[in-house]
Amino acid sequence: MSDAARRPASGLNTSVPNVARMNDYFLGGKDNFAADREAAERVLAVAPEIRAMAQESHAFLGRVVRHLVEQGMRQFVVIGSGLPTRRSAHEVAQEIEPETRVVYVATDPVVLSHSRAMLATDGRTTVVEGDVLHPRELLADPELRRLIDLERPVAVLILSALQFIPDEDDPHKSVAVLREAVPVGSHFAIAHVVFDTRPEAAGPLVDIYRRVLGRQEDASRTSDQVLRFFDGLELVEPGLVHLRHWRPDNPLTTRGPDRTWSMGGVGRKTEG
């Protein structure tokens, strides 16, 4: 379908690139426009492996959700969710345990519109407007509280949002507020692009995303800086690792050098 034949949400400016739609393009989706594709191609010109990294992130999501459901988790909050894709978190979780409840959190109007349309008939899954930088407001949202009982353990998934938030906004404090608000037995899954092995790519990529997001601050981080998000949590084996090394379905796929540079891990809250 051509861009002209699409019907974007009212008031949506499709001439401005959007991170969620760029990621949709990396994943081979069709919910993107020319501006998104042009910005995505500029990213790929700097780092062609970004497409593989988007796919690894989606696969990591599936493995994390399966693991946590198998560990007994029945409540999930997915913060900074992108556009709905095949095998989203609620599909993976409810395939194993149908009563699992999932709340997606987003600020992007495209993500909110698509998610609400997709989830309109699913009573155990919903989407709310919010972000990780306003944790108290998020946890007080009536629609979130309709599905999520904060007296019981909850899995909080933040798999792409933190890598776009600079230290000036103090995302570590926001994650700490969320950690303190949930009970013992809760889990946090976090993924983040790091530049340890590709420092030369940091500058050009940060510049592209600054223009897309309309911000000037640099949100790039090293693995040691990402590890701080797990302060106060007990890291689940194998710890903070490259995404394809986190409990892979087939260990053979982890052989060879790491050509991608996203890392992720899961931490469990063990103390009140």
Side-chain angles (χ1 to χ4, degrees):
M1 182 183 293
S2 68
D3 287 355
R6 299 175 191 270
R7 292 188 175 181
S10 176
L12 177 65
N13 185 356
T14 61
S15 66
V16 177
N18 168 280
V19 170
R21 297 195 305 263
M22 288 169 64
N23 195 62
D24 177 72
Y25 178 72
F26 294 141
L27 289 169
K30 301 184 183 302
D31 291 311
N32 51 76
F33 296 89
D36 309 307
R37 296 189 287 273
E38 290 167 7
E41 286 295 339
R42 290 199 298 272
V43 169
L44 292 171
V46 175
E49 60 268 41
I50 290 288
R51 196 183 298 276
M53 290 164 64
Q55 295 166 348
E56 286 187 1
S57 180
H58 190 61
F60 173 71
L61 165 69
R63 296 196 304 276
V64 165
V65 170
R66 287 200 307 272
H67 170 75
L68 292 178
V69 173
E70 289 166 358
Q71 296 302 304
M73 300 302 301
R74 298 294 181 263
Q75 305 188 112
F76 288 79
V77 176
V78 185
I79 301 178
S81 59
L83 283 161
T85 60
R86 182 175 58 86
R87 304 294 291 163
S88 293
H90 72 285
E91 294 174 314
V92 175
Q94 292 166 3
E95 186 177 88
I96 303 169
E97 176 45 67
E99 295 306 311
T100 302
R101 290 164 288 171
V102 180
V103 174
Y104 293 103
V105 180
T107 55
D108 183 86
V110 177
V111 174
L112 290 166
S113 175
H114 278 249
S115 298
R116 285 168 177 156
M118 182 184 75
L119 301 171
T121 61
D122 187 340
R124 295 158 302 174
T125 310
T126 192
V127 58
V128 301
E129 186 171 0
D131 62 66
V132 70
L133 291 179
H134 298 88
R136 294 183 179 88
E137 295 87 338
L138 171 61
L139 294 178
D141 185 282
E143 180 67 2
L144 181 144
R145 297 299 292 267
R146 180 179 70 84
L147 288 185
I148 303 297
D149 178 0
L150 293 178
E151 298 299 316
R152 297 174 53 230
V154 57
V156 180
L157 279 54
I158 317 173
L159 302 189
S160 62
L162 294 170
Q163 63 200 27
F164 298 111
I165 302 174
D167 286 343
E168 287 84 348
D169 289 342
D170 205 354
H172 291 92
K173 179 180 179 180
S174 294
V175 173
V177 170
L178 287 170
R179 184 189 69 234
E180 293 304 313
V182 297
V184 169
S186 295
H187 289 72
F188 281 74
I190 293 171
H192 200 298
V193 168
V194 298
F195 289 99
D196 302 58
T197 60
R198 283 294 305 274
E200 76 283 359
L205 291 178
V206 166
D207 287 344
I208 293 170
Y209 280 103
R210 277 174 174 164
R211 291 195 292 272
V212 170
L213 296 168
R215 301 198 61 155
Q216 295 302 313
E217 301 92 344
D218 182 353
S220 61
R221 294 186 177 91
T222 65
S223 55
D224 286 342
Q225 292 169 321
V226 173
L227 189 61
R228 284 186 51 211
F229 286 114
F230 293 96
D231 286 354
L233 300 169
E234 180 183 272
L235 272 171
V236 173
E237 289 293 333
L240 179 66
V241 295
H242 286 95
L243 296 187
R244 65 183 179 134
H245 291 277
W246 199 90
R247 298 177 179 263
D249 295 325
N250 180 0
L252 293 178
T253 62
T254 65
R255 293 184 177 179
D258 283 305
R259 293 188 173 87
T260 58
W261 22 283
S262 286
M263 300 189 76
V266 175
R268 184 175 185 270
K269 183 173 179 178
T270 59
E271 298 180 0

